Amino acid sequence: MPRSQPKVTLDGIHRWQIQIENSRSEFLSSYKNKRSIGPLHTCGSVAVTGDGSRLVTCVAEEAVLTNILTGEEICRFAGDTQSITSLCLTPSASQLIVFTSTPSLRVYEIPTAAVWDIKRGYITHVFKGHGGIVSALKFNFPQDPSVVVPQNIHQLITASVDTRIRIFDLTATSSKGDQAALRPIAILEGHVSVPRGLDVTPDGKWLISGGRDSVVLVWNLHAKSTGAKSAEATKGKGKSYSPVLTQTIPVMERVEAVGLLQAEDSVPSSSASKLRFYTAGEKGIIRIWDVKDSSVLYSLSQVADLQTEDQEEQRQIVEAIYLPLISTIVSVHADQNILFYDLNTRNLHRQLIGFNDEIVDAVFLSPNAPKSVDSHIAFATNSSLIRVYSTTGLDARLLTGHTEIVLSLDHGAGGKLFASGSKDRSVRLWAPTSPNDDLSTEWGCVAICEGHAESVGTVAMSRSSGEVGTTSVQFMFSGSQDRTIKMWYIGDVPLVFDASQHGQSLMKCKSLTTHKAHEKDINSLDVAPNDRLLASGSQDRTTKVYEIKFSRATGDRSAHGEIKLLGTCKGHKRGVWTVKFGRSERVLATGSGDKTVKLWNLEDFTCVKTFEGHTNSVLRVDFINHDMQLVTSASDGLVKMWNVREEECTATMDNHEDKVWALAISTDERVIVSAAADSVVTFWQDCTEEQAQENEAKRSELVLREQDFMNYLSLHDYRKAIQLALAMQQPGRLLSLFKDIRATSSEFAADASSVTGNDAVDEVLRTLGGSDLARLLRYVRDWNPNAKTSGVAQGVLYAVMKLRSADDVIAAFTDEAQEDILQSSGQESVKSTASGNTALKELIDGMIPYTERHLSRMDRLVQDSFVVDYILSEMDDGMFDGQDIDTSTMDVDTEVSS
């Protein structure tokens, strides 16, 4: 007996259309760019303020200042188009110093943009004698509270690629060509490779140095010379100054950063020595060391799976920064990631991802549901690592497990468990650790699905919730380049990752069925909201709809599942990139390489609507607002919102410069996240209601202003009327006002001393503010081309030229340009007259041709008037046959008329 097809709806598509037409729900028509996550660090140095609240990084040739807590970009410091080789913040974090490969040194004020003497801007010392590039620097200003008389010691300690460490006296100055004073007072030899880190104790007694020779050296700067191990001292002042190498500590890795820890961040110990230091290098681990025992006290690192050689190389630490105020060590890694470790808890406190590369998929996660929903979002990028971000900031985690690029992501019901498909031909399932308010949410792999012969390009998990106390996801589908769809049983997969079992063998999921689905690669899968239908989109230009048959595992009976083809949707001219069921299951949407989105009737699998508007392949599609609207993203870098009933685009969101591969919509549909190949993530916030309220407030204000304008006109208060018309930016009302003033002046005797014929109008033009004057002149320029309004334009222009000086007009356009800059950037900028002069020149150039044309027209009119006079005189001569006209007749007429 043949199986019956599931009863999707009764005349489903028609009832769905009626519902849309009869719906009174307000359409979501406005989304604003709430925040964006772009490249944070691509190369170069990193600087952090002492309180750990702000971060300065290098992005291409610019330095970027970021608020670490909120993830907001505060400002960018434009450079000289050359790469930044080094940067640092002053101790007060009030100034940023940037050195580029030009070479040039720039000093910026923090937070706004505007060894050197920073205040006066000149070089104080030039120290020569290094045998190559300087690899590390450290100032030594000893502050010993036990000493009654303060020490006047100001030193600069440097290390270079010649493996030597040099100590310079900053109090020495050269004069009369004597350069001996600027030579190093001591040269320390002990490293056999490049030293990369230097640090000195606050009292200036101990110096530690670490290098790529895998050792850390401890130097006593106040020791007397003891022979062989003493440093090579220079003559003269250097005779009484002989630092001594006291200890060599092997660290078994190339050291890229080393530093001393303060006493409160050290581990309590019974040993006499209180020196503790940290090292960071090629293994990507920060180690805390005890100097006396030459032993590792503890290590700070991420728990990671076994990694490839390339991943191990990317984990290397290239720079480390110690923040004593908050007991934190910041490590910068070769893969542009920045990690913050708390020394008190010895845990990873925050992780910032510098560069995401091409983002191909995104999905919202809810690890703490139902307490909080959509608190995290996962991204698949051009990498084997999955990025999981907090939706409220820049804190992120990298999930390791896949060995090849991750291509797709999907979450199950509840948002706790999510799946990833990769080029390594496997699907992995990820779950969060137990909720802990004190620590950031961590994630781990809890199961793996293996069996595909090619890359897994798409995954789709069950949408319906399960029974209370059990996993809410019972099955999952995966689509591959091997053109098959696999159904997996995941009912036994835990929803919580147990970190104590990390490193043990993963649970392997069972494949319930394998179906040969398409003739080409499978690009997209989607499961209907009630788990009864499955849709697949392929490069073979077709979309197929399947019936899902699934039975849970009960007792001795194992779970069973299969899919059966119900129908094929044909109509796209290119490959289908995305498929999506409506939330009410009455319709299916597909996006294709033919630049269109199509809606399909699930009764007979025919196309009922087609949406056209994108200029390139449609890559993602989803429903919002009870299936009355669609959201799409495409290769043209745009995100569009569509009205399903009208088949028209209602909004276009543009913040990307490349293909928008990823599109995710929050549970409440108030946030849309788009991510693209330009490595930019954009959070679009629904502001439809706020926009409507703002428009209503503007409309009410406009009505009141218009009423005030009419009242001023009726009272002949032209001063306030002109000011109000300029404030409302209504050139039409202003034109009518000036016409009325001209008409009134012609009917009544105008003031002899008035330029415009009205003293109040003269006073307004004489005292008009800078930006308002510029706006008025722009209106004059717009009125001038039209012969009907040119008279008013010329009259106003004449009055302005008579009542205002040229400097006033230039200043007006300068003020207008300044206001535009402030409104567009929201930041202060240096005031310049260049933009004002340019704007004024453009306005004059636009007015001169039409003014000359009007002048020529008036000249022709005057000439034509003489012709009329001549014709009239000739007509008079013809009427009297050339006889003389008796002037007495005119007198009689005059008397009669009188």
Side-chain angles (χ1 to χ4, degrees):
M1 180 177 181
R3 294 180 180 176
S4 60
Q5 296 183 2
K7 296 182 180 179
V8 180
T9 56
L10 179 59
D11 294 331
I13 192 66
H14 302 294
R15 291 201 295 152
W16 169 71
Q17 290 176 332
I18 294 173
Q19 177 187 357
I20 291 179
E21 293 175 357
N22 295 335
S23 175
R24 294 295 182 264
S25 299
E26 182 180 0
F27 281 94
L28 304 178
S29 59
S30 182
Y31 278 78
K32 63 181 179 181
N33 185 351
K34 181 182 179 183
R35 73 184 187 99
S36 298
I37 300 176
L40 178 66
H41 174 59
T42 58
C43 61
S45 300
V46 171
V48 187
T49 57
D51 58 1
S53 62
R54 291 179 292 177
L55 173 75
V56 181
T57 55
C58 300
V59 178
E61 292 84 25
E62 295 181 326
V64 179
L65 178 65
T66 305
N67 187 322
I68 298 176
L69 303 179
T70 63
E72 178 186 1
E73 180 181 305
I74 300 175
C75 64
R76 286 179 177 253
F77 303 97
D80 53 6
T81 68
Q82 298 294 323
S83 60
I84 298 174
T85 57
S86 181
L87 59 81
C88 68
L89 289 167
T90 56
S92 62
S94 60
Q95 292 171 315
L96 171 69
I97 295 91
V98 176
F99 194 83
T100 63
S101 58
T102 308
S104 66
L105 186 144
R106 294 169 180 259
V107 181
Y108 300 91
E109 293 290 337
I110 299 293
T112 57
V115 181
W116 285 58
D117 185 308
I118 296 177
K119 291 184 178 180
R120 285 166 286 185
Y122 61 86
I123 300 174
T124 59
H125 298 76
V126 177
F127 297 114
K128 300 180 180 180
H130 297 92
I133 298 173
V134 177
S135 58
L137 293 170
K138 183 66 181 179
F139 285 102
N140 180 25
F141 303 143
Q143 297 178 354
D144 191 352
S146 62
V147 178
V148 177
V149 180
Q151 297 174 300
N152 187 24
I153 298 178
H154 297 82
Q155 298 174 342
L156 174 66
I157 305 174
T158 67
S160 63
V161 295
D162 63 0
T163 73
R164 295 182 175 184
I165 298 172
R166 293 169 173 83
I167 302 177
F168 296 92
D169 186 5
L170 293 176
T171 60
T173 57
S174 61
S175 60
K176 297 181 181 180
D178 181 16
Q179 296 295 327
L182 298 181
R183 292 176 182 172
I185 60 177
I187 299 177
L188 313 184
E189 296 184 351
H191 287 284
V192 296
S193 187
V194 181
R196 291 288 295 138
L198 298 171
D199 203 1
V200 185
T201 55
D203 59 5
K205 182 178 181 181
W206 300 99
L207 166 69
I208 63 170
S209 60
R212 292 175 179 171
D213 51 6
S214 302
V215 296
V216 171
L217 304 182
V218 182
W219 306 83
N220 187 345
L221 299 181
H222 291 178
K224 296 181 180 180
S225 177
T226 57
K229 289 189 177 181
S230 64
E232 177 188 341
T234 58
K235 297 179 180 181
K237 294 183 179 180
K239 288 184 178 180
S240 60
Y241 197 93
S242 299
V244 174
L245 175 63
T246 61
Q247 195 170 355
T248 300
I249 302 175
V251 297
M252 309 307 292
E253 69 168 334
R254 293 195 302 271
V255 176
E256 294 293 334
V258 64
L260 292 163
L261 299 178
Q262 291 188 358
E264 54 269 21
D265 292 329
S266 302
V267 178
S269 173
S270 59
S271 62
S273 174
K274 295 296 183 181
L275 284 180
R276 305 286 190 270
F277 67 92
Y278 66 88
T279 61
E282 64 173 334
K283 295 184 178 180
I285 300 174
I286 297 175
R287 292 185 173 90
I288 309 301
W289 296 77
D290 177 60
V291 172
K292 182 177 178 63
D293 300 332
S294 300
S295 60
V296 178
L297 299 176
Y298 60 91
S299 299
L300 304 173
S301 65
Q302 287 182 289
V303 178
D305 295 330
L306 295 177
Q307 308 219 343
T308 64
E309 183 178 349
D310 180 63
Q311 291 174 339
E312 288 288 349
E313 183 179 351
Q314 291 296 314
R315 287 186 60 205
Q316 294 181 13
I317 296 176
V318 297
E319 186 178 359
I321 304 170
Y322 173 49
L323 305 177
L325 289 179
I326 58 175
S327 299
T328 298
I329 294 179
V330 182
S331 62
V332 182
H333 295 252
D335 57 1
Q336 293 94 34
N337 295 328
I338 305 172
L339 279 61
F340 291 70
Y341 290 100
D342 191 331
L343 294 176
N344 296 325
T345 62
R346 303 184 188 178
N347 290 317
L348 179 65
H349 174 61
R350 178 178 286 108
Q351 179 169 346
L352 307 179
I353 298 176
F355 187 65
N356 283 315
D357 206 349
E358 184 174 355
I359 303 174
V360 297
D361 208 355
V363 62
F364 274 104
L365 303 175
S366 304
N368 301 321
K371 182 179 179 180
S372 62
V373 181
D374 298 335
S375 60
H376 292 73
I377 186 168
F379 296 104
T381 67
N382 192 23
S383 167
S384 61
L385 305 177
I386 300 173
R387 275 85 164 155
V388 180
Y389 276 86
S390 168
T391 55
T392 57
L394 291 179
D395 190 22
R397 294 295 181 268
L398 292 175
L399 307 186
T400 61
H402 285 290
T403 58
E404 296 289 343
I405 295 174
V406 177
L407 299 175
S408 61
L409 300 172
D410 194 24
H411 66 81
K416 289 189 174 182
L417 193 70
F418 76 95
S420 61
S422 169
K423 281 188 174 182
D424 61 10
R425 299 176 293 181
S426 69
V427 178
R428 287 180 177 261
L429 296 170
W430 309 83
T433 56
S434 299
N436 189 336
D437 295 335
D438 297 330
L439 298 176
S440 302
T441 303
E442 302 291 339
W443 301 77
C445 182
V446 292
I448 186 171
C449 306
E450 296 177 317
H452 280 291
E454 297 291 344
S455 302
V456 180
T458 178
V459 292
M461 302 183 73
S462 172
R463 305 299 183 201
S464 61
S465 301
E467 300 175 359
V468 178
T470 64
T471 177
S472 59
V473 183
Q474 293 294 317
F475 59 86
M476 176 186 68
F477 294 94
S478 61
S480 170
Q481 287 184 353
D482 60 13
R483 306 169 189 177
T484 64
I485 298 173
K486 282 185 175 291
M487 183 178 185
W488 306 88
Y489 175 65
I490 56 175
D492 299 331
V493 175
L495 287 178
V496 177
F497 171 69
D498 187 358
S500 63
Q501 298 181 358
H502 180 78
Q504 299 182 7
S505 59
L506 294 174
M507 176 188 296
K508 293 190 176 181
C509 299
K510 175 186 176 183
S511 175
L512 299 179
T513 184
T514 301
H515 187 82
K516 177 67 166 59
H518 291 273
E519 298 301 323
K520 291 186 178 180
D521 297 351
I522 299 174
N523 293 328
S524 180
L525 294 174
D526 191 41
V527 177
N530 63 356
D531 287 348
R532 296 173 60 189
L533 296 177
L534 170 71
S536 65
S538 170
Q539 282 297 110
D540 62 8
R541 300 179 293 180
T542 65
T543 299
K544 294 187 178 182
V545 181
Y546 303 88
E547 175 191 358
I548 300 175
K549 291 291 186 179
F550 175 75
S551 58
R552 297 173 182 267
T554 55
D556 297 335
R557 182 181 176 185
S558 61
H560 174 76
E562 62 178 353
I563 59 176
K564 178 185 178 182
L565 180 64
L566 297 180
T568 302
C569 303
K570 297 181 180 180
H572 282 297
K573 299 177 181 178
R574 296 282 183 90
V576 178
W577 282 108
T578 178
V579 296
K580 197 71 176 180
F581 282 104
R583 307 295 173 91
S584 58
E585 197 195 310
R586 293 189 176 97
V587 70
L588 174 69
T590 60
S592 169
D594 61 9
K595 312 174 189 178
T596 65
V597 177
K598 291 182 179 292
L599 294 186
W600 305 87
N601 184 352
L602 295 181
E603 295 292 330
D604 54 9
F605 307 105
T606 58
C607 178
V608 293
K609 289 182 182 291
T610 299
F611 301 86
E612 297 180 349
H614 282 291
T615 59
N616 215 323
S617 302
V618 179
L619 303 176
R620 292 292 184 270
V621 63
D622 206 343
F623 287 91
I624 60 172
N625 199 12
H626 307 290
D627 296 349
M628 293 189 296
Q629 290 179 270
L630 280 174
V631 180
T632 60
S633 65
S635 295
D636 54 13
L638 302 177
V639 177
K640 288 182 176 289
M641 191 174 299
W642 307 83
N643 183 333
V644 173
R645 182 181 62 183
E646 303 295 338
E647 299 184 38
E648 64 180 6
C649 177
T650 58
T652 299
M653 294 167 277
D654 183 9
N655 193 46
H656 298 285
E657 298 178 355
D658 210 334
K659 302 179 181 68
V660 184
W661 284 106
L663 188 69
I665 299 176
S666 62
T667 304
D668 59 4
E669 299 181 354
R670 291 191 58 83
V671 177
I672 298 175
V673 175
S674 60
D678 58 4
S679 76
V680 174
V681 179
T682 306
F683 290 78
W684 304 97
Q685 178 76 38
D686 176 27
C687 59
T688 303
E689 185 176 352
E690 292 84 350
Q691 190 69 35
Q693 293 175 355
E694 183 179 351
N695 293 338
E696 180 63 24
K698 288 182 178 180
R699 190 189 67 81
S700 300
E701 183 182 2
L702 182 60
V703 170
L704 293 176
R705 286 190 172 189
E706 288 179 348
Q707 184 61 47
D708 291 340
F709 182 79
M710 299 304 295
N711 293 338
Y712 293 146
L713 285 183
S714 62
L715 295 174
H716 299 287
D717 190 348
Y718 297 121
R719 177 185 181 87
K720 293 184 178 179
I722 292 174
Q723 293 175 341
L724 186 58
L726 286 171
M728 291 190 297
Q729 298 185 11
Q730 293 186 351
R733 290 188 179 277
L734 200 59
L735 178 64
S736 300
L737 174 60
F738 282 118
K739 285 183 177 179
D740 293 342
I741 293 173
R742 287 168 57 89
T744 304
S745 300
S746 61
E747 292 178 3
F748 303 96
D751 298 334
S753 60
S754 174
V755 178
T756 61
N758 189 299
D759 290 334
V761 177
D762 287 357
E763 183 64 22
V764 173
L765 297 180
R766 186 180 295 109
T767 60
L768 205 58
S771 59
D772 288 339
L773 178 60
R775 189 178 299 114
L776 175 61
L777 290 176
R778 293 187 187 280
Y779 293 160
V780 169
R781 177 197 60 188
D782 297 337
W783 299 336
N784 194 46
N786 193 332
K788 295 182 179 180
T789 58
S790 62
V792 176
Q794 292 294 324
V796 175
L797 181 62
Y798 173 75
V800 171
M801 294 297 103
K802 293 288 289 184
L803 299 173
R804 304 298 287 266
S805 65
D807 292 337
D808 288 345
V809 178
I810 295 175
F813 282 92
T814 303
D815 293 341
E816 183 189 45
Q818 186 71 13
E819 290 181 5
D820 293 340
I821 294 175
L822 291 175
Q823 291 176 0
S824 61
S825 64
Q827 299 177 357
E828 296 182 0
S829 59
V830 180
K831 190 170 183 178
S832 173
T833 59
S835 57
N837 292 335
T838 303
L840 179 58
K841 182 179 183 302
E842 292 177 353
L843 182 134
I844 294 175
D845 290 342
M847 294 182 65
I848 288 177
Y850 290 102
T851 302
E852 292 177 346
R853 183 182 301 176
H854 295 318
L855 182 61
S856 300
R857 180 170 55 84
M858 295 301 295
D859 288 340
R860 290 195 302 269
L861 184 61
V862 172
Q863 293 176 5
D864 293 343
S865 67
F866 286 117
V867 174
V868 173
D869 290 341
Y870 173 76
I871 294 175
L872 290 177
S873 63
E874 289 296 320
M875 291 175 61
D876 291 343
D877 293 342
M879 292 175 61
F880 296 96
D881 297 328
Q883 298 179 3
D884 294 335
I885 301 175
D886 188 0
T887 56
S888 61
T889 305
M890 301 299 295
D891 295 336
V892 173
D893 292 340
T894 304
E895 292 177 1
V896 173
S897 61
S898 63

